[in-house]
Amino acid sequence: MQRLAMDLRILSRELSLYLEHQVRIGFFGSGVGLSLILGFSFAYACYYMSSIAKKPQLVTGGESFSRFLQDHCPVVTETYYPTVWCWESRGQTLLRPFITSKPPVKYRNELIKTADGGQISLDWFDDDNSKCYMDASTRPTILLLPGLTGTSKESYILHMIHLSEELGYRCVVFNNRGVAGENLLTPRTYCCANTEDLETVIQHVHSLYPSAPFLAAGVSMGGHRHMFVKQIDMDHVMKAKSIREFDKRFTSVMFGYRTIDDYYTDASPNRRLKSVGIPVLCLNSVDDVFSPSHAIPIETAKQNPNVALVLTSYGGHIGFLEGIWPRQSTYMDRVFKQFVQAMVEHGHELSGM
């Protein structure tokens, strides 16, 4: 609330300075223009505060996890103030990549082999200058999972690494097969329902630093054409006009699903949430154009004490822009930083959950 009030005061001051130079000429000379602008601004501010700025809905399957989040990750219970001029879902979704900054990050790349002869590209941020965790063997490690077609170069990934660096943590980005510039050695990419590559990466990273706290953060879902022509009609695939058509013609065929509905059923989190055995925090906006409110498994989440959902009224898909000019940080960034820090420093409180 204090930050929003400060932003509104700054906006009002800038508007007043502008009007001070305009009020003596043209439309503003009568004072009518000034009255209309001030009246509209007041009405918009009232609408924004009453209908847009809201506290997120916190859904948990147990009191212990809920209390843990309120104590150590308070951002999930604070009012979320979407950017005042860009709170609508499509605007948040489309503008985030262009507005948010891209902090510089120097990676160390590693290619690891898979059981089927393929390879996975990992981009490491070792954080060797960490002052909080100087011993690399016990330095907390955060595995970052980009969204669909995303890589280690995405702005939201770079922000997570920057925030992890502030905490002294090490990060490793899991680039899905074929999206980060590495050669695709087998006719296989990735899909939401298959976790074999992720399991390979987790085992590899954990084997390197078995004594270090290990966490993962995924965003959204969290091509070399010649490899597929023998089993898939790529010309037909490239004519797809929607994500569903692409999944029907390509993803479901590659992974052997009988129908597109079989693939979507297998990929849905609904059937997996019940078996989650470690603390998991999920952030989703109910106006997300790709993950709408009716698809969020609220009732299923309530049945597992290890799962918590943070549902904001606005934010779009990976948007969560806030402030007048949301370049340096988003609401998602703040949730990420507080939660990983809470798990590293206070995770033992949940051991008996």
Side-chain angles (χ1 to χ4, degrees):
M1 179 68 76
Q2 291 179 346
R3 182 171 65 255
L4 178 65
M6 182 179 297
D7 289 340
L8 291 177
R9 284 199 297 271
I10 294 174
L11 185 62
S12 299
R13 185 176 70 243
E14 295 296 327
L15 180 62
S16 299
L17 291 174
Y18 174 76
L19 293 178
E20 186 177 329
H21 291 84
Q22 301 292 334
V23 73
R24 296 179 183 176
I25 60 175
F27 179 64
F28 295 107
S30 63
V32 176
L34 177 61
S35 299
L36 286 175
I37 289 180
L38 291 178
F40 174 79
S41 299
F42 177 77
Y44 183 79
C46 290
Y47 170 74
Y48 178 89
M49 294 301 296
S50 62
S51 301
I52 305 302
K54 298 180 179 180
K55 289 186 177 182
Q57 178 186 1
L58 178 61
V59 179
T60 61
E63 182 61 31
S64 297
F65 201 6
S66 177
R67 186 167 54 251
F68 175 86
L69 292 172
Q70 294 176 51
D71 291 342
H72 304 300
C73 190
V75 66
V76 302
T77 62
E78 298 172 357
T79 301
Y80 166 50
Y81 298 98
T83 297
V84 294
W85 53 269
C86 177
W87 48 264
E88 196 271 338
S89 62
R90 287 163 293 189
Q92 288 255 338
T93 302
L94 294 174
L95 289 179
R96 181 204 53 78
F98 303 100
I99 292 180
T100 53
S101 63
K102 288 192 173 183
V105 174
K106 186 175 181 179
Y107 290 118
R108 172 177 61 85
N109 183 257
E110 179 187 17
L111 293 176
I112 63 174
K113 298 297 183 180
T114 61
D116 68 337
Q119 63 181 0
I120 301 172
S121 175
L122 300 180
D123 282 324
W124 289 86
F125 175 73
D126 295 301
D127 201 7
D128 289 329
N129 295 322
S130 174
K131 296 181 180 179
C132 300
Y133 300 93
M134 292 183 286
D135 183 355
S137 66
T138 57
R139 185 177 303 145
T141 302
I142 313 297
L143 174 62
L144 300 178
L145 315 173
L148 183 66
T149 74
T151 69
S152 58
K153 298 179 181 179
E154 304 301 324
S155 61
Y156 56 82
I157 293 293
L158 298 176
H159 276 248
M160 288 180 171
I161 292 178
H162 177 68
L163 295 171
S164 298
E165 182 181 16
E166 293 179 356
L167 297 172
Y169 303 165
R170 169 178 44 234
C171 292
V172 55
V173 184
F174 166 31
N175 298 295
N176 282 297
R177 297 195 198 193
V179 301
E182 80 283 4
N183 291 328
L184 197 59
L185 303 182
T186 60
R188 169 178 169 174
T189 55
Y190 56 94
C191 77
C192 300
N194 188 282
T195 60
E196 291 178 2
D197 284 357
L198 176 58
E199 293 169 10
T200 298
V201 170
I202 290 175
Q203 292 171 4
H204 173 72
V205 174
H206 182 64
S207 69
L208 294 176
Y209 305 102
S211 300
F214 189 20
L215 298 87
V219 178
S220 188
M221 189 200 79
H224 307 279
R225 172 180 174 131
H226 70 279
M227 296 299 300
F228 305 108
V229 293
K230 293 184 179 179
Q231 64 183 91
I232 295 177
D233 184 351
M234 290 305 297
D235 290 331
H236 185 55
V237 170
M238 299 309 293
K239 294 178 182 178
K241 297 181 179 179
S242 67
I243 294 177
R244 183 180 179 86
E245 283 189 0
F246 179 85
D247 284 339
K248 181 178 181 179
R249 299 174 184 180
F250 183 80
T251 313
S252 60
V253 174
M254 179 190 300
F255 286 90
Y257 288 97
R258 188 173 59 85
T259 67
I260 181 63
D261 290 328
D262 288 343
Y263 165 52
Y264 283 158
T265 298
D266 196 32
S268 172
N270 256 318
R271 57 191 296 274
R272 302 177 187 273
L273 278 184
K274 294 180 181 179
S275 60
V276 172
I278 59 174
V280 172
L281 177 65
C282 306
L283 173 64
N284 205 116
S285 169
V286 297
D287 73 343
D288 189 325
V289 293
F290 294 106
S291 180
S293 57
H294 67 265
I296 301 175
I298 294 179
E299 294 305 316
T300 305
K302 291 180 179 179
Q303 301 173 25
N304 190 330
N306 294 303
V307 175
L309 307 180
V310 178
L311 307 177
T312 59
S313 297
Y314 298 93
H317 185 70
I318 327 177
F320 301 104
L321 303 177
E322 57 183 357
I324 296 297
W325 188 246
R327 182 163 175 77
Q328 301 301 326
S329 179
T330 67
Y331 180 75
M332 184 175 73
D333 293 338
R334 295 195 292 128
V335 172
F336 166 79
K337 183 178 182 180
Q338 287 192 15
F339 183 63
V340 296
Q341 183 176 20
M343 290 304 301
V344 169
E345 298 180 4
H346 306 284
H348 60 276
E349 298 178 13
L350 296 174
S351 59
M353 189 171 65

